[in-house]
Amino acid sequence: MRILITNDDGIYSPGILSLAEVAAKFGDVRIVAPDVERSSAGHSITALRPLSYKRTPIAGFEAYRVDGTPADCVALGAHNWEKVDIVLSGINLGSNLGNSMWHSGTVAAAKQATLLGLRGVALSVPSSADEPDFEILKPSVAKVLDVLLNDKDLTLVNVNFPDRKPKGLRWTRQSVRRYDGTVVPGEDPMGRKHFWFSIVPIEETEEGTDRWAVEEGYVSMTPLRLDLTNEKELAAAAARHPLT
Ligand code: MN
């Protein structure tokens, strides 16, 4: 099995090395990741300039750094390494729960794999002041990969780890609760005005969702799809406004 590994935190993130170390037990691993952090890049691609692809071996792994987005890395990685079976993206330093999936570069890399006809898995861990203890997480990462790598019917899955030793794995759905989206003004040391975008959830956590699972101490696994069509509203709109 050929496993392409990427992330949005940049190729030198400790999360990507931990993921490569666990994934290497399941198949051949190659790392292709952004040369700098591209968190919250979403599914952007580099279309107006060429990209570079430079060899950067990391801890014995074949690795390449790209001056582009996570989605670029998947496109280049799959182009330069034939017969990739699956793309793993992460382990991201920062959860990608609920609405974060819209902004996430980590999830976008997994989505890009699915767009190319490959399978994709995004993996994230909550960020804190200290670096997460990946050694504690590794047995759970291995359990997740054992389930997901061996099930070819799962094309796109978003995985989130809790902030402590996981109690087990849970299948979940995406939390869709809204956040406040408040813009907080401030001032830089030179007295210039600047703004921070805040993402504070304003609704309760719903049971069965990704956020609920990690709050309960479980690893959350959410199967995703690329088709965003709202089937209910499509049917209702077609009934209300018959177009001839
Ligand atoms: Mn990130």
Side-chain angles (χ1 to χ4, degrees):
M1 179 178 281
R2 285 195 162 181
I3 304 169
L4 179 66
I5 297 194
T6 192
N7 72 355
D8 76 356
D9 290 339
I11 195 160
Y12 305 112
S13 166
I16 201 168
L17 179 57
S18 302
L19 180 56
E21 285 166 353
V22 178
K25 297 185 183 113
F26 295 86
D28 298 328
V29 161
R30 179 181 288 194
I31 297 171
V32 179
D35 55 358
V36 294
E37 178 165 357
R38 302 299 299 260
S39 290
S40 298
H43 206 139
S44 57
I45 55 168
T46 303
L48 300 178
R49 62 169 175 86
L51 290 161
S52 70
Y53 182 84
K54 292 179 177 165
R55 191 160 177 270
T56 310
I58 291 176
F61 289 104
E62 187 72 0
Y64 298 83
R65 67 183 194 272
V66 174
D67 61 344
T69 65
D72 291 334
C73 292
V74 172
L76 257 71
H79 174 80
N80 287 322
W81 200 32
E82 285 172 8
K83 295 179 184 149
V84 168
D85 293 289
I86 192 161
V87 174
L88 305 180
S89 178
I91 299 170
N92 188 61
L93 303 183
S95 298
N96 279 304
L97 300 163
N99 292 310
S100 310
M101 286 185 221
W102 291 101
H103 320 296
S104 170
T106 306
V107 176
K111 280 160 59 195
Q112 181 66 26
T114 310
L115 282 176
L116 296 174
L118 310 171
R119 295 190 290 137
V121 178
L123 305 101
S124 306
V125 66
S127 63
S128 55
D130 297 322
E131 190 178 297
D133 189 339
F134 288 108
E135 292 309 313
I136 284 180
L137 281 181
K138 274 181 177 175
S140 296
V141 177
K143 274 184 204 158
V144 166
L145 295 188
D146 196 37
V147 172
L148 300 185
L149 295 182
N150 295 312
D151 187 340
K152 291 195 162 62
D153 289 333
L154 288 168
T155 52
L156 180 59
V157 182
N158 185 36
V159 179
N160 279 275
F161 295 90
D163 61 358
R164 62 205 106 133
K165 192 170 185 289
K167 288 189 212 165
L169 314 183
R170 284 286 181 269
W171 295 109
T172 60
R173 60 195 159 79
Q174 180 186 10
S175 160
V176 288
R177 67 180 181 169
R178 294 170 299 140
Y179 55 69
D180 65 347
T182 302
V183 175
V184 183
E187 220 174 61
D188 76 7
M190 268 69 74
R192 293 172 297 203
K193 222 173 194 185
H194 63 198
F195 301 90
W196 285 101
F197 187 75
S198 92
I199 304 175
V200 178
I202 55 175
E203 287 166 3
E204 290 296 305
T205 301
E206 319 99 304
E207 191 170 336
T209 62
D210 48 9
R211 192 176 301 279
W212 168 82
V214 298
E215 282 179 8
E216 295 291 317
Y218 292 98
V219 180
S220 161
M221 301 191 296
T222 309
L224 303 177
R225 62 176 181 186
L226 295 182
D227 182 356
L228 298 176
T229 310
N230 185 328
E231 298 289 348
K232 210 171 130 192
E233 290 195 10
L234 172 61
R240 281 201 306 275
H241 311 283
L243 308 174
T244 52

